[in-house]
Amino acid sequence: MITTIVLKILLIIILVIVILLHFSVTVFVRGGTGGNFEIKLRYLGITLYPRPKKKKKKKKKKRRKKKKAVKPKQEISETNTEEMTETVAEVAEEKPDETADTQSAAEEIHSATVEEVFGEETSSIEDEKPEDKPAGKKGRKSRKKKEKKKKEKKPREKKEKPEKGESKLDGLKRKWEFIKPYIPPAWKYSKKLLKAVRIEDVKINIDTGKEDAAESAQFYGKLQAALFSVLNFLAMIFTLRVKEANINCHFNVKRLDAEGEAVVKVRPSTMIAIAFCLLFCCAKIFIPYKFRQWREKRRKKKSAEKIQNATVEN
């Protein structure tokens, strides 16, 4: 029961994939001399290229909390020294005889506070310096690893040398004999693959003109011949369906403008089928060739063994 359910599910999945691959991928192309070039890629009515731009959401502004202003160390030290000097001055006013001693004491306090502040800063800077990395065992280990990797690297594969007693021409002939059977199927299926590409709804509009009427007429004829020869060449390679191909001639005016558009359609199922057929044909040629080579080598080995046995007996 479980196996039958699994098989049914697998069959349904395969059918869905086959149906999806049968729908064609469409590429709309439009361009002109004005520089307006446009490409649109669609599959199952969904535009794959160019992708529609997503609207950017407006970011909500976050309210920032106000941080309390912290005074630096120098400012704190200066305030402390100022307070100390003020207290010393008050004491001096009260006792004028001890003014000299108080001034010297204030200077000592000021110098001590400054030394404390700058001493702390220098010590903090010295602490922040990165420690020297021990460059000894680690450096040696990294060098040893690099040397091992260099030794372990495989040497480049040498090109195949020609066999003994074989010239360059013989080697080229041998390669050509190997490639030759693959050319007809490759040519056949490449033509089929190009024919599977359909160029539909082709619209071409060209406006030409020159100051001289005779020159403009001659140029119009040449341009028309060139355009239709190119369209015929494309029809030989691809399946082409032209909707409009107009060339408008203007007299006494120097002008050359061109506009065109087309829809390119490709079915993934046909492309996969053609590729599978090509691989099957190549395998049909490659496997017998390898089997023949193996059989020849085996014969050579047997003949060499017989000769060795004969020499040993004699």
Side-chain angles (χ1 to χ4, degrees), residues 7-62:
L7 284 167
K8 281 176 183 178
I9 290 158
L10 284 167
L11 284 166
I12 289 157
I13 290 159
I14 290 157
L15 277 167
V16 168
I17 291 160
V18 169
I19 290 158
L20 287 169
L21 288 170
H22 195 69
F23 288 100
S24 56
V25 179
T26 58
V27 182
F28 177 76
V29 184
R30 184 189 285 165
T33 53
N36 295 324
F37 193 73
E38 190 182 353
I39 296 170
K40 282 182 182 178
L41 195 142
R42 284 186 178 183
Y43 183 65
L44 295 167
I46 301 158
T47 54
L48 300 170
Y49 179 84
R51 296 294 297 169
K53 291 180 180 179
K54 291 179 179 179
K55 290 180 180 179
K56 290 181 179 179
K57 291 179 180 179
K58 290 181 180 179
K59 291 180 180 179
K60 291 179 180 179
K61 290 181 179 179
K62 291 179 180 179

XYZ file of all heavy atoms in Angstrom, residues 7-62:
457
model
N 4.636 5.707 -5.353
C 4.744 5.702 -6.817
C 3.772 6.689 -7.454
O 4.125 7.408 -8.409
C 4.487 4.294 -7.362
C 5.623 3.273 -7.200
C 5.124 1.876 -7.472
C 6.773 3.610 -8.153
N 2.560 6.723 -6.934
C 1.554 7.668 -7.445
C 2.010 9.118 -7.249
O 1.873 9.959 -8.140
C 0.212 7.449 -6.752
C -0.564 6.267 -7.295
C -1.843 6.053 -6.499
C -2.604 4.834 -6.990
N -3.830 4.597 -6.189
N 2.553 9.399 -6.054
C 3.045 10.762 -5.760
C 4.176 11.144 -6.707
O 4.218 12.267 -7.230
C 3.491 10.863 -4.278
C 2.277 10.805 -3.333
C 4.263 12.165 -4.028
C 2.610 10.368 -1.935
N 5.103 10.193 -6.930
C 6.222 10.443 -7.848
C 5.750 10.708 -9.275
O 6.248 11.609 -9.958
C 7.187 9.256 -7.828
C 8.110 9.139 -6.605
C 8.766 7.774 -6.576
C 9.167 10.232 -6.623
N 4.775 9.918 -9.723
C 4.207 10.107 -11.067
C 3.541 11.479 -11.207
O 3.683 12.150 -12.237
C 3.206 8.996 -11.382
C 3.790 7.620 -11.738
C 2.713 6.561 -11.689
C 4.416 7.650 -13.138
N 2.818 11.887 -10.169
C 2.148 13.208 -10.194
C 3.193 14.328 -10.267
O 3.025 15.289 -11.028
C 1.243 13.371 -8.950
C 0.019 12.456 -9.055
C 0.784 14.826 -8.790
C -0.616 12.126 -7.720
N 4.283 14.176 -9.480
C 5.352 15.191 -9.485
C 6.006 15.286 -10.864
O 6.252 16.382 -11.382
C 6.403 14.882 -8.391
C 5.801 15.122 -6.997
C 7.654 15.734 -8.562
C 6.529 14.391 -5.888
N 6.276 14.116 -11.481
C 6.897 14.082 -12.823
C 5.987 14.730 -13.863
O 6.439 15.494 -14.728
C 7.260 12.630 -13.211
C 8.425 12.120 -12.344
C 7.634 12.540 -14.690
C 8.498 10.614 -12.245
N 4.677 14.428 -13.770
C 3.702 15.017 -14.704
C 3.660 16.541 -14.564
O 3.623 17.272 -15.573
C 2.319 14.434 -14.455
C 2.005 13.082 -15.107
C 0.750 12.492 -14.517
C 1.842 13.244 -16.625
N 3.668 17.007 -13.341
C 3.646 18.467 -13.091
C 4.884 19.125 -13.674
O 4.809 20.193 -14.312
C 3.527 18.748 -11.568
C 3.790 20.216 -11.257
C 2.143 18.353 -11.066
N 6.061 18.492 -13.470
C 7.321 19.042 -14.002
C 7.298 19.087 -15.520
O 7.722 20.077 -16.134
C 8.531 18.225 -13.477
C 8.716 18.470 -11.980
C 9.807 18.588 -14.233
C 9.530 17.405 -11.275
N 6.790 18.011 -16.144
C 6.704 17.948 -17.616
C 5.783 19.046 -18.157
O 6.099 19.708 -19.157
C 6.235 16.550 -18.069
C 5.886 16.547 -19.558
C 7.317 15.511 -17.785
N 4.652 19.238 -17.504
C 3.690 20.273 -17.932
C 4.301 21.665 -17.795
O 4.158 22.513 -18.677
C 2.376 20.154 -17.126
C 1.620 18.882 -17.533
C 1.487 21.377 -17.350
C 0.643 18.379 -16.491
N 5.006 21.902 -16.670
C 5.640 23.204 -16.461
C 6.741 23.473 -17.482
O 6.899 24.596 -17.954
C 6.213 23.285 -15.038
C 5.204 23.430 -13.896
C 5.878 23.236 -12.564
C 4.496 24.777 -13.937
N 7.507 22.426 -17.814
C 8.584 22.588 -18.800
C 8.049 22.803 -20.213
O 8.764 23.328 -21.071
C 9.508 21.367 -18.774
C 10.423 21.216 -17.554
C 11.079 19.856 -17.558
C 11.475 22.303 -17.520
N 6.807 22.400 -20.460
C 6.210 22.562 -21.793
C 5.858 24.025 -22.089
O 5.790 24.421 -23.247
C 4.966 21.683 -21.924
C 4.509 21.509 -23.335
N 5.229 20.792 -24.260
C 3.406 21.990 -23.984
C 4.587 20.819 -25.412
N 3.483 21.537 -25.280
N 5.648 24.826 -21.043
C 5.377 26.256 -21.241
C 6.664 26.968 -21.655
O 7.734 26.694 -21.103
C 4.826 26.883 -19.958
C 3.421 26.468 -19.636
C 3.178 25.480 -18.699
C 2.352 27.069 -20.269
C 1.891 25.091 -18.397
C 1.047 26.697 -19.970
C 0.811 25.693 -19.038
N 6.528 27.875 -22.605
C 7.709 28.526 -23.181
C 8.146 29.743 -22.369
O 7.321 30.451 -21.790
C 7.424 28.971 -24.615
O 6.292 29.813 -24.656
N 9.451 29.943 -22.354
C 10.060 31.139 -21.743
C 10.084 32.236 -22.801
O 10.594 32.026 -23.910
C 11.487 30.841 -21.255
C 12.146 32.079 -20.649
C 11.489 29.706 -20.249
N 9.530 33.405 -22.500
C 9.451 34.508 -23.464
C 10.395 35.640 -23.065
O 10.472 36.009 -21.894
C 8.017 35.063 -23.556
O 7.608 35.491 -22.258
C 7.052 34.026 -24.086
N 11.089 36.165 -24.073
C 11.995 37.300 -23.882
C 11.562 38.405 -24.840
O 11.611 38.231 -26.059
C 13.463 36.910 -24.134
C 14.394 38.095 -23.889
C 13.871 35.736 -23.272
N 11.113 39.515 -24.284
C 10.697 40.678 -25.091
C 11.870 41.645 -25.220
O 12.454 42.056 -24.221
C 9.503 41.379 -24.437
C 9.046 42.618 -25.156
C 8.319 42.526 -26.332
C 9.361 43.872 -24.660
C 7.902 43.666 -26.994
C 8.947 45.020 -25.307
C 8.221 44.913 -26.483
N 12.212 41.976 -26.462
C 13.362 42.852 -26.734
C 12.875 44.037 -27.554
O 12.154 43.877 -28.542
C 14.480 42.108 -27.504
C 15.700 43.006 -27.693
C 14.875 40.841 -26.788
N 13.299 45.237 -27.136
C 12.973 46.467 -27.860
C 14.188 47.395 -27.823
O 14.847 47.514 -26.791
C 11.770 47.167 -27.229
C 11.320 48.418 -27.992
C 10.265 49.180 -27.197
N 8.984 48.513 -27.236
C 7.969 48.780 -26.407
N 8.123 49.673 -25.441
N 6.815 48.150 -26.514
N 14.446 48.050 -28.968
C 15.597 48.959 -29.026
C 15.525 49.880 -30.227
O 14.695 49.705 -31.121
N 16.416 50.869 -30.205
C 16.454 51.842 -31.297
C 17.698 52.696 -31.233
O 18.522 52.589 -30.319
N 17.837 53.586 -32.221
C 19.001 54.474 -32.281
C 18.955 55.543 -31.196
O 19.980 56.128 -30.856
C 19.066 55.164 -33.662
O 17.799 55.786 -33.931
C 19.418 54.184 -34.746
N 17.787 55.801 -30.641
C 17.652 56.790 -29.568
C 18.291 56.355 -28.257
O 18.445 57.159 -27.346
N 18.647 55.065 -28.143
C 19.285 54.552 -26.925
C 18.323 53.929 -25.947
O 18.727 53.503 -24.863
N 17.047 53.830 -26.298
C 16.037 53.207 -25.421
C 16.040 51.697 -25.661
O 15.420 51.198 -26.599
C 14.642 53.774 -25.706
C 14.560 55.246 -25.365
O 15.157 55.704 -24.411
N 13.827 56.000 -26.177
N 16.794 50.984 -24.824
C 16.898 49.521 -24.940
C 16.170 48.872 -23.771
O 16.366 49.262 -22.620
C 18.362 49.098 -24.956
C 18.570 47.679 -25.369
C 18.415 47.288 -26.680
C 18.917 46.725 -24.423
C 18.602 45.968 -27.052
C 19.110 45.406 -24.782
C 18.960 45.024 -26.112
N 15.349 47.858 -24.080
C 14.501 47.240 -23.053
C 14.483 45.733 -23.236
O 14.358 45.228 -24.363
C 13.079 47.796 -23.178
C 12.168 47.422 -22.035
C 10.750 47.944 -22.204
O 10.490 48.720 -23.154
O 9.903 47.563 -21.381
N 14.624 45.001 -22.117
C 14.540 43.532 -22.114
C 13.617 43.099 -20.979
O 13.751 43.575 -19.852
C 15.917 42.866 -21.941
C 16.834 43.171 -23.133
C 15.792 41.355 -21.810
C 18.266 42.750 -22.933
N 12.693 42.181 -21.309
C 11.796 41.611 -20.292
C 11.767 40.105 -20.444
O 11.559 39.594 -21.547
C 10.386 42.174 -20.462
C 10.220 43.587 -19.917
C 8.788 44.058 -20.070
C 8.616 45.493 -19.581
N 7.231 45.958 -19.770
N 11.986 39.406 -19.336
C 11.975 37.937 -19.332
C 10.788 37.453 -18.520
O 10.627 37.851 -17.360
C 13.286 37.427 -18.734
C 13.606 35.954 -18.981
C 15.093 35.790 -19.218
C 13.177 35.075 -17.825
N 9.971 36.588 -19.144
C 8.758 36.101 -18.473
C 8.644 34.589 -18.583
O 9.055 33.996 -19.585
C 7.515 36.732 -19.111
C 7.288 38.177 -18.699
C 5.979 38.687 -19.247
N 5.698 40.044 -18.846
C 4.594 40.700 -19.145
N 3.656 40.127 -19.878
N 4.417 41.949 -18.724
N 8.059 34.009 -17.527
C 7.758 32.572 -17.521
C 6.495 32.354 -16.705
O 6.427 32.756 -15.542
C 8.928 31.785 -16.938
C 8.728 30.294 -16.961
C 8.635 29.609 -18.166
C 8.613 29.571 -15.778
C 8.450 28.250 -18.199
C 8.429 28.207 -15.793
C 8.347 27.541 -17.000
O 8.153 26.189 -17.030
N 5.512 31.730 -17.342
C 4.189 31.484 -16.740
C 3.531 32.795 -16.282
O 2.869 32.856 -15.244
C 4.306 30.518 -15.553
C 4.749 29.089 -15.866
C 5.115 28.366 -14.600
C 3.642 28.336 -16.593
N 3.721 33.843 -17.078
C 3.130 35.146 -16.779
C 3.793 35.911 -15.649
O 3.316 36.973 -15.263
N 4.928 35.376 -15.153
C 5.665 36.045 -14.066
C 6.914 36.701 -14.661
O 7.687 36.037 -15.363
C 6.070 35.044 -12.961
C 4.823 34.373 -12.379
C 6.868 35.729 -11.864
C 5.093 33.056 -11.706
N 7.103 37.990 -14.400
C 8.285 38.704 -14.899
C 9.473 38.371 -14.005
O 9.520 38.750 -12.836
C 8.050 40.234 -14.892
O 7.636 40.627 -13.584
C 7.023 40.652 -15.915
N 10.430 37.643 -14.587
C 11.643 37.264 -13.860
C 12.698 38.358 -13.926
O 13.500 38.506 -13.003
C 12.204 35.962 -14.430
C 11.283 34.740 -14.360
C 11.866 33.599 -15.164
C 11.051 34.315 -12.918
N 12.701 39.097 -15.039
C 13.659 40.210 -15.196
C 12.999 41.309 -16.011
O 12.376 41.021 -17.025
C 14.926 39.719 -15.907
C 15.951 40.810 -16.134
C 16.846 41.153 -15.133
C 15.998 41.492 -17.343
C 17.781 42.148 -15.347
C 16.929 42.494 -17.561
C 17.829 42.811 -16.564
O 18.746 43.798 -16.771
N 13.064 42.577 -15.631
C 13.651 43.120 -14.388
C 12.697 42.954 -13.216
O 11.483 43.067 -13.379
C 13.846 44.593 -14.740
C 12.797 44.897 -15.763
C 12.562 43.634 -16.527
N 13.264 42.686 -12.069
C 12.474 42.495 -10.864
C 11.922 43.827 -10.371
O 12.609 44.856 -10.432
C 13.321 41.880 -9.745
C 13.826 40.494 -10.050
C 12.737 39.460 -10.151
N 12.025 39.283 -8.917
C 10.889 38.597 -8.794
N 10.305 38.075 -9.864
N 10.309 38.473 -7.624
N 10.648 43.863 -9.913
C 10.101 45.131 -9.385
C 10.790 45.538 -8.091
O 11.065 44.705 -7.228
C 8.618 44.794 -9.136
C 8.566 43.321 -9.007
C 9.668 42.776 -9.862
N 11.078 46.822 -7.989
C 11.782 47.336 -6.820
C 10.845 47.377 -5.606
O 9.703 47.821 -5.710
C 12.317 48.737 -7.097
C 13.450 48.741 -8.112
C 13.931 50.153 -8.348
C 15.066 50.166 -9.362
N 15.530 51.554 -9.632
N 11.354 46.907 -4.497
C 10.569 46.915 -3.252
C 10.613 48.302 -2.618
O 11.637 48.977 -2.641
C 11.134 45.896 -2.267
C 10.919 44.462 -2.711
C 11.524 43.512 -1.707
C 11.300 42.068 -2.142
N 11.932 41.125 -1.164
N 9.470 48.672 -2.061
C 9.401 49.970 -1.387
C 10.104 49.890 -0.038
O 9.882 48.963 0.744
C 7.932 50.370 -1.175
C 7.219 50.712 -2.467
C 5.779 51.086 -2.190
C 5.042 51.438 -3.478
N 3.609 51.773 -3.205
N 10.942 50.866 0.202
C 11.684 50.897 1.454
C 10.782 51.380 2.601
O 10.097 52.395 2.473
C 12.889 51.825 1.328
C 13.965 51.264 0.413
C 15.138 52.216 0.350
C 16.234 51.654 -0.553
N 17.388 52.590 -0.636
N 10.819 50.636 3.682
C 10.029 51.009 4.853
C 10.724 52.134 5.614
O 11.950 52.147 5.756
C 9.856 49.814 5.779
C 8.971 48.737 5.182
C 8.862 47.568 6.137
C 7.974 46.483 5.552
N 7.894 45.325 6.485
N 9.903 53.055 6.073
C 10.468 54.171 6.833
C 10.865 53.689 8.234
O 10.085 53.059 8.935
C 9.433 55.286 6.957
C 9.162 55.992 5.640
C 8.137 57.103 5.831
C 7.860 57.824 4.513
N 6.851 58.888 4.689
N 12.091 54.004 8.573
C 12.589 53.596 9.882
C 12.062 54.538 10.976
O 12.075 55.756 10.814
C 14.122 53.619 9.881
C 14.722 52.540 9.009
C 16.235 52.630 9.053
C 16.846 51.544 8.186
N 18.337 51.630 8.209
N 11.620 53.924 12.047
C 11.119 54.713 13.174
C 12.307 55.292 13.953
O 13.269 54.583 14.267
C 10.287 53.843 14.107
C 8.971 53.411 13.484
C 8.205 52.542 14.446
C 6.876 52.103 13.833
N 6.139 51.220 14.771
N 12.200 56.563 14.252
C 13.274 57.225 14.986
C 13.196 56.850 16.467
O 12.169 57.010 17.122
C 13.141 58.740 14.843
C 13.457 59.225 13.436
C 13.337 60.737 13.363
C 13.679 61.229 11.961
N 13.539 62.703 11.872
N 14.287 56.333 16.937
C 14.352 55.936 18.342
C 14.726 57.148 19.201
O 15.591 57.938 18.838
C 15.402 54.845 18.534
C 15.000 53.536 17.892
C 16.087 52.508 18.101
C 15.694 51.191 17.460
N 16.771 50.179 17.648
